[in-house]
Every structure is written in structure tokens, then in C-alpha cells.
Amino acid sequence: MSSRKSSAFLTAEEMELRLAKERERCDRYLLHFSMIALEWNAAPTKSLLRSFETFLTGRLRLSDEAGFLRTGGIGIILPMTDAEGARKVLETVQSFAGHQSWPIHAEVYTYVGYKGSDTDPTECGDDIEDLHALDEPSESLEMPKEHCKESLLRMVAKPFPKWKRACDIAGAVVGLIVTSPVLVIACIAVKATSRGPVFFKQMRCGQHGRPFAIYKLRTMVVNAEELKALLHERNERDGPAFKMKNDPRVTKVGRILRKVGADELPQLVNVLKGDMSIVGPRPLPISEDMQCASWQRRRLDTKPGLTCTWQISKSRNISFRDWMRLDLQYGSRRSLLHDVELIGRTFIAVFLGRVGH
């Protein structure tokens, strides 16, 4: 193989940028790449790392890259390389590690451009690229498949900002204290007017595809999920999400709670637990998320939230694709000022009664 253009490892920040660029390239042109992730229990010495750099310089191609991973260890990016090719490279790496008495743990991932989407890459315009992607851990050594899939997404996605987590904790604590009288009254109203539990719990798809239980005040009859199948033909939304303007499953109190968004208040507990953020894409039920096109699931790079652009839009009757594009736009524009703006607009939407389902 030809020699590398540089023998130095990329920094963790440079590696994240390189992974993101490679992912977008594969998404746009329906290509693929593989990555070898190396980890160890005890950090290698500087001399061992220098020897490893020298080894990689003679082993990898000009287009390959190696660098430190934010999650720990070293990653080796192999463009246009399938799982079999990556495993061959890994064999040589393991051979080097064996000769150096260097115990390593290795995982091989293959990222494949998705060819089964129903969306044309030219439809999204200039602001949002149409991203077709399928995260496929091709080989896992000593780790469950789902964990490996999540690990790859964590490596590719931007890290969750510390400022955002701090704001989430403060906002959730203050929110629970301020809204506690509303919650108490709402709980009494739900319990007094309909049969069933006060709270509703449902599995949703969270950041990096990790499932979590979302909490809400119950606004529907107890057998709402069973009745949903009977109402499927009356769905007023395109795509996998379900919506009916006059859903017969919603109780009278439930309609009031939905109108002002009070049914969402228990999700402040989800924010405290770290499953959700104050601002972020609304999490979909797992059954609906599984029906999304792969480019739409790029929204899972961002932690789901209580409110986001779509949630407070003047018109929420936009197409499902446009909803997904708004979520992707938020992920690319995420900042403290933007979050403050969206929170302010949320309060206005609540006052105007525009946050209903």
C-alpha cells in the first residue's frame, strides 16, 4: 500500500470532523466506509504510540486517516472499504499489537449509504442535505450489537454541549417547582373524569436510537393504543406519524391539557434523567421511528426535547418530510441563543394555544 501523507494522529476534534465529512460524503453519493475502533485498558506509552504511527504510515493508504476518539482509544477511517477489507487491516493491527505485547480491544464498523429511501437527494434544497444513511456495525468483539451501533453514532455525532445539560437541569428543576400547582390540579382532573392511571408512559426513540420511557399526563382512554389500529385509515398526516384533529380517543380533560401543553409537563422528569433536553426534536414512538427514511433518522444525532421549531410553528400541518427537515436544521444551528429564542416562542405558543397535538 502507498504511504500516508502524514504520520501524526488526528486530534479528537479533527477526527470528529473527518468522521462527519465521510458520513456526509457517503450519504450524498450512496457510498460506504469502514472504521476500526481500538481501545485499551492501560494507556500505551509514547514510544509505543510512535511505533504504531510508523506502522500505520506504511500500512494505510493516502485516503485513510487515524486519530484519537473522543470516546477513548484510536480510530482508523477506511474510505470505500467494506467490512471484509477492514477486517484484513485489523488483522495486521492485531499482529502488530501482539508483537508489542499490547492488549487491545477492537471493533469494526461499516457505514453504508442507504439505497432504499423514497426521497430524491435534490428535493431538500440548499439548507438541508437529503441524507440517506444506514449505520451497520459489521463486526462486534465482546460487545452487544445495539451498543456498538450506539457507539458509532456517538463517534459521528456532535457531543452534547455541557452548557445545554446545565440549562436543562436548571430549567427542569425550576419548571417542576413553578408548574407543580398546575400538575396537581391536572392530575386530580384526569383521575376524577376518566378511568385509568393519571400518567401515561410510552417507549420513544431517543438520542443515537436509544429507547427510553417518556412520561405524560394521560389524555386518552386507557385502550387508546388498541383503538389506534382501527383509526389508521383516518390518519390526517402523511408519513409514519399519526394525527387526527378530532381523535375520539382523547378525553374532554385531555383536550384542554393538550391545548395548553400541560400534558407534556411530566417530561421535565425525563429532562432531569438526561433522556431529553428542554429544546430538541420531539421523540417519535419506536414503531413510527422505524418507518422513517434513513436520512430522517439523522435527527437522532440530537437529543430529543420538550419543544422545537415544529412544535411551535404557526402551521403544524406541514408535511412529515418538512417536519423532519426542521429537526435537522435545529441540529445544525444549535446554540444557546437559538435555544433561548425557541423557549421564548414556546411561551408565546402556549399563550396562543398553538402547542396542541
Side-chain angles (χ1 to χ4, degrees):
M1 291 204 178
S2 56
S3 61
R4 289 170 50 79
K5 52 189 176 185
S6 173
S7 61
F9 288 123
L10 298 178
T11 65
E13 293 76 15
E14 292 171 334
M15 193 65 171
E16 285 179 356
L17 180 60
R18 182 68 178 83
L19 276 167
K21 287 183 175 179
E22 189 62 29
R23 181 186 186 185
E24 290 187 11
R25 186 178 73 89
C26 291
D27 288 340
R28 179 168 290 279
Y29 301 109
L30 303 179
L31 302 175
H32 64 277
F33 78 96
S34 292
M35 187 182 79
I36 300 173
L38 305 174
E39 296 180 355
W40 44 81
N41 293 328
T45 63
K46 292 184 178 179
S47 60
L48 179 56
L49 279 179
R50 284 196 294 268
S51 298
F52 190 44
E53 286 183 9
T54 301
F55 164 77
L56 290 180
T57 298
R59 179 64 182 85
L60 301 182
R61 304 165 298 182
L62 286 171
S63 58
D64 301 333
E65 294 281 6
F68 296 102
L69 298 172
R70 176 174 50 83
T71 52
I74 290 175
I76 303 172
I77 302 174
L78 306 169
M80 297 298 295
T81 303
D82 59 17
E84 182 178 356
R87 281 192 286 269
K88 291 180 179 178
V89 176
L90 176 58
E91 287 176 2
T92 64
V93 171
Q94 289 173 324
S95 177
F96 169 85
H99 289 140
Q100 298 291 329
S101 299
W102 182 26
I104 61 172
H105 168 73
E107 298 171 35
V108 173
Y109 302 99
T110 299
Y111 188 90
V112 184
Y114 181 63
K115 299 182 180 180
S117 174
D118 60 352
T119 306
D120 187 332
T122 62
E123 289 183 4
C124 285
D126 296 329
D127 292 334
I128 290 295
E129 295 178 352
D130 196 300
L131 304 173
H132 307 265
L134 179 64
D135 294 297
E136 197 65 42
S138 56
E139 180 182 18
S140 165
L141 308 177
E142 306 174 14
M143 298 181 72
K145 180 176 180 180
E146 286 305 314
H147 178 78
C148 291
K149 181 175 182 180
E150 180 182 325
S151 297
L152 179 58
L153 285 170
R154 284 182 179 273
M155 292 173 190
V156 177
K158 294 180 181 179
F160 192 73
K162 293 181 179 179
W163 62 261
K164 192 166 174 63
R165 180 57 184 156
C167 291
D168 285 342
I169 294 174
V173 170
V174 172
L176 285 170
I177 294 173
V178 172
T179 63
S180 56
V182 177
L183 271 171
V184 171
I185 294 172
C187 289
I188 294 173
V190 171
K191 192 65 178 178
T193 58
S194 62
R195 180 177 58 87
V198 171
F199 296 100
F200 172 73
K201 185 171 70 172
Q202 184 183 54
M203 297 305 295
R204 298 285 179 102
C205 210
Q207 189 177 24
H208 309 313
R210 176 187 294 176
F212 73 98
I214 196 172
Y215 305 117
K216 304 178 70 172
L217 287 174
R218 183 175 57 83
T219 60
M220 293 185 173
V221 295
V222 289
N223 60 337
E225 290 299 308
E226 290 79 3
L227 293 175
K228 182 178 178 180
L230 302 176
L231 299 171
H232 185 72
E233 293 183 355
R234 297 168 62 183
N235 185 13
E236 298 170 6
R237 180 177 294 284
D238 66 320
F242 183 87
K243 177 185 176 182
M244 282 183 64
K245 186 175 181 179
N246 296 307
D247 195 325
R249 301 173 299 163
V250 181
T251 64
K252 291 181 179 180
V253 169
R255 293 189 190 281
I256 298 174
L257 296 178
R258 288 182 168 214
K259 187 70 174 178
V260 297
D263 61 316
E264 311 285 4
L265 291 177
Q267 288 163 45
L268 290 170
V269 176
N270 287 116
V271 174
L272 280 178
K273 292 174 61 179
D275 295 327
M276 296 177 63
S277 179
I278 297 292
V279 182
R282 289 297 296 164
L284 292 173
I286 293 177
S287 59
E288 294 180 3
D289 181 82
M290 291 176 63
Q291 299 177 55
C292 289
S294 224
W295 70 267
Q296 295 166 344
R297 300 191 82 239
R298 283 291 295 270
R299 68 201 292 273
L300 299 180
D301 287 355
T302 307
K303 185 177 290 189
L306 286 170
T307 185
C308 202
T309 312
W310 170 80
Q311 186 80 356
I312 56 178
S313 297
K314 291 182 180 179
S315 174
R316 294 172 63 192
N317 294 321
I318 59 176
S319 69
F320 184 78
R321 292 181 183 180
D322 286 340
W323 171 9
M324 297 295 101
R325 290 180 184 123
L326 287 176
D327 287 345
L328 292 177
Q329 284 180 343
Y330 170 76
S332 64
R333 295 177 54 194
R334 186 176 60 189
S335 69
L336 178 58
L337 288 178
H338 189 43
D339 275 14
V340 171
E341 175 194 351
L342 289 175
I343 291 172
R345 290 172 58 189
T346 299
F347 282 116
I348 296 174
V350 170
F351 179 77
L352 297 177
R354 282 207 317 257
V355 295
H357 296 239

